[in-house]
């Protein structure tokens, strides 16, 4: 079932605000998928999903290895029969304001503030597709 990225149903948005471990799929340089567990925040007003990470992680290196603005990624979560996927193009933000905003959003969704990390970056996903059954 498709959803409007910028105007999701209340049920879909509520599902994305619950605490769930998600998966992130990024393309490796050889085109094969790299899938890892992550925390994700969804900001429908901006049409963005965000993932905080260490700048040395494979998922971040995968995005940086792609031509700027071309890395298509997907984040997904599920619980029982409910599931939700968001897709779009990812970029890596390193500026302090973007990282702080992403950390605050993560803390709000997951109920804990991650420990300080000077190597933290944020993967910002400009969303163009949403689907699922929430």
């Amino acid at each position: 079932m498709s959803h409007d990225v910028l105007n999701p149903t209340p049920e879909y948005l509520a599902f994305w605000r619950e605490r769930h471990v998600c998966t992130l799929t990024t393309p490796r340089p050889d085109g094969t998928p790299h899938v890892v567990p992550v925390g994700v925040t969804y900001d429908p007003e901006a049409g963005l999903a965000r993932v905080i990470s260490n700048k040395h992680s494979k998922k971040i290196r995968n995005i940086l290895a792609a031509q700027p603005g071309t890395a298509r990624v997907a984040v997904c979560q599920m619980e029982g029969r409910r599931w939700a996927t968001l897709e779009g193009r990812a970029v890596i933000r390193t500026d302090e304001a973007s990282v702080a905003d992403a950390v605050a959003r993560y803390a709000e969704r997951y109920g804990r503030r991650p420990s300080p990390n000077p190597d933290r970056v944020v993967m910002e996903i400009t969303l163009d597709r949403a689907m699922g059954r929430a």
Side-chain angles (χ1 to χ4, degrees), residues 19-124:
R19 186 181 191 283
H20 294 285
V21 173
C22 304
T23 61
L24 166 70
T25 304
T26 60
R28 292 185 182 105
D30 68 3
T32 60
H34 175 71
V35 183
V36 294
V38 294
V40 176
T41 61
Y42 174 32
D43 178 0
E45 293 82 19
L48 298 173
R50 294 175 182 89
V51 176
I52 57 175
S53 182
N54 186 296
K55 69 181 179 183
H56 302 292
S57 72
K58 179 65 175 163
K59 61 187 160 285
I60 299 302
R61 292 192 324 260
N62 285 342
I63 302 309
L64 294 174
Q67 294 292 335
T70 65
R72 281 199 64 78
V73 302
V75 291
C76 182
Q77 66 181 21
M78 60 178 253
E79 179 185 57
R81 302 183 94 190
R82 298 185 307 158
W83 63 275
T85 299
L86 299 168
E87 297 179 19
R89 298 201 184 280
V91 297
I92 306 306
R93 304 273 185 228
T94 59
D95 64 281
E96 192 174 309
S98 294
V99 173
D101 179 57
V103 167
R105 290 171 186 274
Y106 177 96
E108 181 179 332
R109 180 174 187 198
Y110 290 97
R112 71 171 192 83
R113 191 164 210 59
S115 56
N117 178 352
D119 291 333
R120 182 167 287 128
V121 297
V122 60
M123 180 184 300
E124 191 175 271

